[in-house]
Amino acid sequence: MHGEVAVNYTAVLITAIAGFGLIAVLFVASSILSPRRYSEKKVTTYECGMLPLGRFWTQVHIRYYIFGILFVLFDVEAVFLFPWAIVFLRLGPVAFYEMVIFLAILLFGLLYAWKKGVLQWK
Amino acid sequence: MEVVWRESPSLALANGHGLYHHLPGVITAKTDYLFAMARKSSLWPLTFGLACCAIEMIGAYMAEHDLDRFGVVTWPSPRQSDVMIIAGTAVKKMAEPIKLLWEQMPLPKWAIAMGACATDGGPFQRSYSTVQGADQIIPIDVYVPGCPPRPQALLYGIIKLQEKIMAEASNRKAAV
Amino acid sequence: MPEWVESIIRVAIAIGFVLTTVLVLIWLERKVIGHIQQRLGPMRTGFHGFLQSPADAVKLLVKEDIIPAAADRWAFQLAPALVFVPIFLTVVSIPFTRTLVVRNLDLGLFYVFAISSISIVGIVMAGWASGNKYALLGSVRAGAQMVSYEIPLVFSILGVAMVAGSLNLETIVDAQRGLWYIVLQPVGMFIFLVASLAELNRTPFDIPVAESEVVGGPYVEYSGIRWGVFFLSEYANTFIISALAAVVFLAGWRGPLLPGWLWFLIKTYAIILIIFWFRATLPRLRIDQLMTFAWKLLLPLAFVNLLITGLYLVYDWPRWILFVASVAVLAVASRLVYVVGRA
Amino acid sequence: MIPLQHILALSAGLFAIGVYGVLSRRNAILILMSIELMLNAVNINLIAFAMYLAPDRFVGQIFAIFIISIAAAEVGLALAIILRVYRTRATIDVDNIDLMKW
Amino acid sequence: MNVPLVLFWVFGAASLTAGLLVVTSKNIAHAAFYLLFALVGVAVLFLLMAADFLALVQFLIYGGAIVVLLLFALMLTRIREGPVIVGNSQKPLAIVAGLALLALLLSVVFVTPWPKPATEAIQRIEVPVIGESLFTDWLFPFEIVSLVLLVALIGAIVIARSGDD
Amino acid sequence: MTEEHSAHSVHTAPKKEPGPSLFPEMERLVAEVLSGIEVTSEQVVDEHAIIIDRKDLLAVCRRLKDNQRLSFDLLRCVSVVDYPNESVFQAVYHLYSIGLKHRMAVKTGIPYDDAIVDSVTSVWAGADWHEREAAELLGVEFRGHPNLRPLLLPDDFEGHPLRKSFKVPELDQARFRRGRE
Amino acid sequence: MAESRLETVDMFINMGPQHPSTHGVFRMVLTIDGEQIVDMKPHIGYLHRGVEKLAEGLRYREVTVLLDRTDYLAALNNELPYVMALEKLLDVKVPERAEYIRVLVCELNRIASHLMFYGAFGADAGATTPFMYAFRDREEIQHFFEAVTGGRLMHNYFRVGGVRYDLPEDWRERLTKLIPHLRKGIVDCERLLSDNEIFLNRTIGVGQISAADAIDYGLTGPNLRACGVRLDLRRDQPYSVYPKLEFDVPTRSRGDCYDRYLLRVEEMRQSLRIVEQCLEQMPDGPSLGEVPRVIRPKEGEVYVGTENPRGEYGIYLVSRGGDYPYRVKVRAPSFCNLMALNEMMRGCYIADCVLILGSIDIVLGEVDR
Amino acid sequence: MLGMLKGLMTTMQSHFRKPVTIQYPDERPDLPPRYAGFPGLIWDANVGEPFCTGCQVCARFCPTQCIYVTMKDNPKVGDGTSKRRKIVDEFELNVSCCTQCAVCVEVCNFDAIEMTHTFEMASYSREQVMNLQDMLSMKEKGGP
């Protein structure tokens, strides 16, 4: 690790260690300082004052997953957009339209999802 | 009138547990005072109203009385709350949930019985389905009589609770 | 002085600053919302309740923390750290002034989004690990909401990157000499603010933690200091997002007369106050409306913004055209809010 | 300075773990995760080679970016298939998914 | 002391351990969390090789997106219920295969006479350089990527939704 | 409902001396609509009331609701009153017509030893909880009710509190003095 | 659909008895599919205090103490049907001034109750400030009550043949100050929510119920009027001095949450109109009529329904002589309104169910009694 | 958007209005004369004894039966200072279940009891009883 990256990301590393350290210190301090007493009822799951009803499992709807996929794809797109945003002026209009095409193709995907009613809930 | 100070059953339970109490007495006494200050200044009740008194309790949170001045803000989950304000009639059917919620609250915790019903059964004392006073379900620290008590009466009850928290801390200090 | 020592000092200052800021923010929010509601907010702990947040913090520290029997212990204990640390990491690249910055990263803008996206996993983890239905429901909602708004958020900020030609936050601030990007990128600013409200799970997008529905969402089962850490991260995140908006759209430390750090704080707190103001005013959206809003309105809007910004840059249009076009787009969008919401 | 061999050894280790995961687990989602591990191992190699050996040193990075992109698409699609199978057969155990008998 | 090398092995070992936990974990959700750690570890390795852009991409795509997607999928399949089976009948075989592959790769790694790197110091590659190359030399693959993503999206929607209504 | 009970159950409520009808118009109309059913008019302070046999209850209610000139479409209240001296419950249905703005009450007796009456949920859905409550608090069974589970009381509660035989404890006047002594 | 059932194992969510938005201790068990509600089972009785039984053990005069506590948001409105029933049994004339005072405080109580609804509904929708605004104004009404009846929430004010105290000397000043204050408060409330796009999106078309269904379930009050049925006992079965007062009975047509909300806001305005008229027309005279010192009505029974803020609050009073009522049956409006909840909730989202419950405006005290 | 802006303007305006909060322990609420706190007995200053004769009407009519009262022969009758033949001996009010309904005031034939303005009765114990002395001193504390 060398040069600028080294210096910059050393700080990041230190921050990460400090962050985890802070949390650890807080948790340890809390475990020393706070009163504790175990009871069978205390560790029951909170459910508005009733004992849990039925199984724990919440049925997650498939549409959440589709939003997840949409997110992943647009996130990937963002990865290309970041370098593009800072260089496209140097490369001229062509680079701009390249990205427009790229975006258009993905927007078509969004449009498809829209038309398919994936973004619709009922 | 003279008020007899009584150690909160819940706090009696809390004391004497945890590593903290192996520290030297001087330190624990000083920090106890600090912690008690913090605890009394940030009493978070459980969002929880049973009957008529709940309206006056809500009134106490609202602009004119503003419990937020005392650092009192409600949280919906028992896990994040310190105080349970039993505002209203505790019915036998509701006793079990109240007990469970009380159990689910982390230590240290306090309970305020607000209104005649929660203190003593009030006008519904003779009823076949009410609990005659919330102290039959959970240990109560402060009783606020009235039917319903006006918001200021609840504020007074909370001040009393704060005094009690401080008294408990200094009592412990004296013991050390 | 070796660089790593300097880094440690800077990081230490940053930690101190962030922690105090969080305490101040919590107090400020209670005061501001209190006054909006014609009451006073904390008054009795310290002068005008100034010691309220420290008192809350100490109380949470000495509060028992419960791990429910149904919880997945491992993940339950780890989740707060996983939420807090990424948010905390982003502070590294936020420049308060040119010198008052932990490290000026070359990819600052990208860095902020890349790192903070990890905290979504932390929230989903917290909800999953709690073994509680409300928590799970809340965490799924949180996950879906945060991923949905991450996209418009990223795209809105890309417009700035295009105009400035850099991802370096210091360069971006320097490029705003004379003209703040709020003028060139009003659409971007709008999307950024809205989407960051959603990222922060704040009103009107506080669906995952909705008190009246899922009783606090992913954090239902958390108590004591573990819950406090979530609370801490929420406010730290509020500060960081506001600071980022101040840097990117309001030219950070630039401003006449006053010292730079003061300008930075003024701008940041102005945005924070707006967020508090929203919280005190608006009701909450429903989850389907929220998703619809993100995908059907904000995302296309972000694309339009990218398109007009690109055209402006490529063909070297005068600045006023971009401004007028942006305002027009914004006007059309504000009409569409209602339509899209109903759809 | 990190010797190239160390990097390659590490990536080999990660790759082998991925292979083990693919072969030994029955849960389709876990298999997918193992594949991700393998792809990561490959990425490490690409960067390492690019850094140390190639004349155009950024090509490795570009490759890695493409791989990550494709991996994302792959995961999305594969999970969709897994969910589909799960919904028709109520299992994501690959041993129980006998495609020929669909 | 060679600080980068130490860091490399610290994080390398961390991600190897996390990876191993992924494939051996009894709980699939835990596996997903371990996967996150493995991927973050790899991102740090990228940083050590001065590929900061790529490291951040790793964070964004793997850490933020793919792990979340995996978690959603896990929640859709009710992983907390039913018996958890660690391995299948091929487990011993898998161990053998994995170890054999590892041995093979390691032997290749250490036997092959790798050429010496051109410079001692690893130079950071500026993002604009990547960008310029991407949008000129690699234009075609770049556009293809968008098509691949589109196909994946449509495919996923069709597969996940068919028969839903 | 068996025959031997139906004869007995008409005059169940405490009897009141018949006086001049306060609502002659209403009485005439009701008699017309309910022709063929044995109906006794009763004088209540401010509304017309009829007493019917419980076996006719459903038919009466349906006719009262469906008839154009009466059209009692709103069931205001179902009250069941316990008369232990007569060993009978009396169910009172207070009806109101939104369009015609008139009201009346239908009463029917339910003997103690066969405390069953037809449920009117099929006529007015709004009778649901009223009947459940009455069933729980008074122990009257409503035949044909979709779901007669306990509504208000805890599951382990025994007895029917609104019966006169259910006694509430007397208060001890000086009970609070105990705490001090 | 059969296939997606496979993934949809029935999932229950328990809301209440302790839940921030069940308005007390209502409990519902929701069967959900993703975010949507398939079925809802209400559970009540967590506040069943046996009012009806206890009332049989109290003298006629004392029963109001209990009735105050049934619908505790509109205590005065509960006392009214009871004393009216008693007056009918005893055949007591009420002086006109007493009637005006009754109407005055009842309408103020209606405003107070609707303000509470407004605040709670805003909180259900996720906004915190409406609650504060509502209580700011509500508090003013309570100050007026304090001056008139001595109580803030529970009044025990109405007596057979009139009211307990005449109005205090400074009532005109107090009321003339109060009315513009409330008027401004209602404007504030409206500006905060009524046009808010988020609020519109959340409430329009949510929890719809048709007029026919509403009547079938026995809905009354604002909930019924929001469906377009113009039923208001103050107008349709006039009692007290309502025939002498001018007021509109607003209705809406859609019967969804938004209509129920708007209707109540409009009702507050109408109530304010009535209060103003009371202020103008208040006659002189005694505030308590000629009443026997011991209240011992003749044998008989009477049903009196009045228009409570939540609908028809009816008292079925049976007397068999003696000092104690034989049977006091309370026809509680929320109890009946709540029956339609399942109908309204079909197919809505979890977030909606909270709003729908809020829009019905239940008070558990009278649901369970 | 306009509706939201309207709401935002409203909250902004109210931010600059004066808070309506009464800071309770420091500021006292302004209670109207009729406000019904807990009941208190009235002291007849002319004679130097309470008005109450201990007739127990209030105890009988109290809906929660929270009053306990006994009477005795008035010693002051003998020396002619008082016209009351009987006088209250013991008077106890169970504060914890008093509903402040003022029925006792209404039924009292001697106007000896009144609703005072006392409401701060929070205590650490449930068995909180006001005896004769408390009741009489309460009247002085803040009655009309």
Side-chain angles (χ1 to χ4, degrees), chain A residues 3-22:
Chain A
E4 203 190 342
V5 178
V7 175
N8 286 345
Y9 288 93
T10 312
V12 174
L13 192 64
I14 291 169
T15 318
I17 291 166
F20 277 110
L22 186 70

Side-chain angles (χ1 to χ4, degrees), chain E residues 29-44:
Chain E
H30 285 179
F33 299 138
Y34 287 128
L35 181 68
L36 177 69
F37 292 122
L39 299 175
V40 168
V42 172
V44 176

Side-chain angles (χ1 to χ4, degrees), chain G residues 124-145:
Chain G
D124 289 342
T128 47
T129 307
F131 227 140
M132 298 285 174
Y133 282 8
F135 262 76
R136 179 191 66 197
D137 303 334
R138 202 173 178 275
E139 203 73 41
E140 296 297 322
I141 300 178
Q142 286 186 324
H143 287 322
F144 183 77
F145 282 159

Side-chain angles (χ1 to χ4, degrees), chain C residues 61-334:
Chain C
L61 190 69
V62 294
K63 192 99 183 141
E64 182 183 20
D65 53 352
I66 299 168
I67 301 176
D72 186 298
R73 289 185 77 89
W74 180 83
F76 188 82
Q77 285 172 300
L78 189 69
L82 212 56
V83 173
F84 175 73
V85 173
I87 287 166
F88 191 61
L89 276 177
T90 50
V91 87
V92 171
S93 74
I94 305 284
F96 290 34
T97 67
R98 195 182 303 281
T99 46
L100 222 56
V101 54
V102 178
R103 279 295 163 196
N104 179 37
L105 300 184
D106 194 32
L107 296 175
L109 214 47
F110 191 42
Y111 168 84
V112 171
F113 292 113
I115 299 289
S116 64
S117 67
I118 302 280
S119 64
I120 302 174
V121 181
I123 288 182
V124 175
M125 192 172 180
W128 177 84
S130 294
N132 181 306
K133 287 172 198 164
Y134 305 113
L136 192 68
L137 208 60
S139 75
V140 176
R141 282 175 171 195
Q145 167 177 339
M146 288 171 95
V147 298
S148 293
Y149 279 86
E150 182 99 357
I151 302 294
L153 192 69
V154 168
F155 281 22
S156 71
I157 216 106
L158 270 169
V160 171
M162 283 160 73
V163 179
S166 170
L167 296 175
N168 187 326
L169 288 170
E170 195 181 314
T171 322
I172 290 175
V173 173
D174 283 336
Q176 295 180 66
R177 188 176 289 124
L179 192 65
W180 295 359
Y181 281 161
I182 186 173
V183 181
L184 290 180
Q185 290 288 319
V187 184
M189 174 92 177
F190 170 76
I191 298 170
F192 183 85
L193 278 186
V194 172
S196 56
L197 281 179
E199 284 286 295
L200 295 170
N201 290 340
R202 279 191 158 265
T203 326
F205 303 106
D206 56 344
I207 295 157
V209 294
E211 224 180 69
S212 59
E213 296 154 30
V214 287
V215 249
Y219 318 136
V220 175
E221 290 289 354
Y222 280 88
S223 59
I225 195 64
R226 272 181 240 284
W227 183 81
V229 168
F230 283 120
F231 207 57
L232 180 73
S233 354
E234 192 183 319
Y235 282 86
N237 206 7
T238 309
F239 174 74
I240 283 164
I241 293 269
S242 307
L244 193 65
V247 165
V248 167
F249 292 104
L250 302 178
W253 63 83
R254 295 199 158 271
L257 297 175
L258 299 175
W261 59 270
L262 198 56
W263 269 115
F264 171 81
L265 283 184
I266 289 172
K267 289 166 184 172
T268 309
Y269 273 87
I271 292 168
I272 288 171
L273 287 177
I274 289 176
I275 292 175
F276 291 167
W277 183 23
F278 276 21
R279 169 156 185 192
T281 310
L282 299 176
R284 161 189 318 131
L285 284 162
R286 200 172 57 208
I287 182 79
D288 63 321
Q289 292 162 348
L290 173 105
M291 294 300 206
T292 312
F293 187 65
W295 291 105
K296 292 191 181 171
L297 187 76
L298 281 191
L299 190 58
L301 199 61
F303 278 127
V304 171
N305 185 39
L306 283 190
L307 195 69
I308 53 176
T309 310
L311 287 172
Y312 153 79
L313 287 171
V314 170
Y315 294 107
D316 221 2
W317 288 347
R319 278 170 171 177
W320 64 267
I321 289 189
L322 182 61
F323 178 69
V324 170
S326 302
V327 171
V329 168
L330 214 50
V332 172
S334 72

Side-chain angles (χ1 to χ4, degrees), chain C residues 36-39 133-134 137 141 204 211-213 215 280-289 338 341-342, chain G residues 11-15 19-21 35 124-126 128-129 132 136 196 198 201-202 349-352 354:
Chain C
I36 282 181
Q37 293 163 343
Q38 286 189 268
R39 54 190 180 91
K133 287 172 198 164
Y134 305 113
L137 208 60
R141 282 175 171 195
E211 224 180 69
S212 59
E213 296 154 30
V215 249
T281 310
L282 299 176
R284 161 189 318 131
L285 284 162
R286 200 172 57 208
I287 182 79
D288 63 321
Q289 292 162 348
Y338 186 71
R342 303 286 324 142
Chain G
M11 151 80 190
F12 299 106
I13 278 205
N14 189 49
M15 272 198 177
H19 189 275
S21 59
E35 284 272 344
D124 289 342
T128 47
T129 307
M132 298 285 174
R136 179 191 66 197
N196 190 313
I198 297 175
N201 279 335
R202 282 297 303 278
Y349 294 95
I350 293 174
D352 290 339
V354 168

